[in-house]
Amino acid sequence: MNTAPISWRIEAEPIMLMPEEFWARYDHSNMPEKFESSNGMLFWNDEERLHVLGMLLESIGLRRALALCSPEAIRAASTNSESSG
């Protein structure tokens, strides 16, 4: 099982991972074995949630992911991240 940090390749448009990149992500210690929920949240911890989200964002691209969000939510998230950094 892989435990190395992942260098995510999240871009505006979907990317195609090479087979070795895909399996390094899929066989990672943060990849949950199955979809489970607890207390209204998917998976057991933030590391698992972020790992799955990273894989999904690579597969779908930011453009389509951001289309799910309201412009207000995007502005609020952008403003908060800039002021806290």
Side-chain angles (χ1 to χ4, degrees), residues 11-15 55-65:
E11 300 181 14
E13 300 300 328
I15 60 146
M55 288 189 74
L56 290 170
L57 287 173
E58 286 180 327
S59 298
I60 195 103
L62 280 175
R63 192 175 318 279
R64 289 188 65 198

Side-chain angles (χ1 to χ4, degrees), residues 36-85:
E36 295 182 291
S37 65
S38 175
N39 299 319
M41 298 187 79
L42 283 175
F43 311 120
W44 294 102
N45 57 53
D46 283 349
E47 289 78 20
E48 289 181 349
R49 291 181 196 104
L50 286 171
H51 191 86
V52 172
L53 178 61
M55 288 189 74
L56 290 170
L57 287 173
E58 286 180 327
S59 298
I60 195 103
L62 280 175
R63 192 175 318 279
R64 289 188 65 198
L66 290 174
L68 298 172
C69 306
S70 71
E72 296 81 16
I74 295 170
R75 277 192 296 277
S78 176
T79 301
N80 290 341
S81 66
E82 290 172 5
S83 64
S84 65

